[in-house]
Amino acid sequence: MAGISGDLLKINGEKVSGLKAYDFESNLLWADAERNMDGDVRATYLGEYPKLLLEFHNGLTQDEVKVLYRQLSSPNFSVTYFHPGLGENVTAQYYRSDYKISLLDKRRALYKSFTVNLIPISRRV
């Protein structure tokens, strides 16, 4: 059995480091959803919107935090990620959720683990 080759995650072509956890969430979006009198759902399928749930390891250095901050600072960015359902890397435009970075050790400039979600701008085609 082969492992996952290549980088797990890149933002604007730059590898994302410091990952502790990488979760893939397949979200299907529907419009005009309603149930008729028989209880059947009637809706328009809009597509799959894969969300990435990221957790970064405890003890991040000041330099690591600076790189991550720069990568996540744009309102939207290109993300190349491993799609487990396809078994290959996919590239799409994403934006991020809010996140909080907490200081772990001031003297050594280390930071606590934190999480951030990457949310797609458009459906996966």
Side-chain angles (χ1 to χ4, degrees), residues 26-99:
S26 176
N27 297 302
L28 303 182
L29 190 60
W30 301 84
D32 307 319
E34 62 183 7
R35 290 197 180 271
N36 64 21
M37 294 301 290
D38 291 330
D40 297 331
V41 172
R42 304 271 188 235
T44 303
Y45 174 66
L46 299 178
E48 178 192 24
Y49 291 76
K51 185 186 337 181
L52 305 174
L53 297 84
L54 310 176
E55 182 179 358
F56 294 91
H57 68 76
N58 212 28
L60 289 167
T61 66
Q62 181 66 57
D63 288 340
E64 289 173 315
V65 167
K66 285 168 61 175
V67 169
L68 288 169
Y69 180 80
R70 181 180 42 76
Q71 289 175 321
L72 297 170
S73 286
S74 298
N76 59 69
F77 35 82
S78 175
V79 174
T80 301
Y81 64 94
F82 180 75
H83 189 302
L86 300 175
E88 62 189 27
N89 286 341
V90 175
T91 300
Q93 288 295 114
Y94 275 72
Y95 67 97
R96 66 162 175 85
S97 65
D98 293 339
Y99 64 90

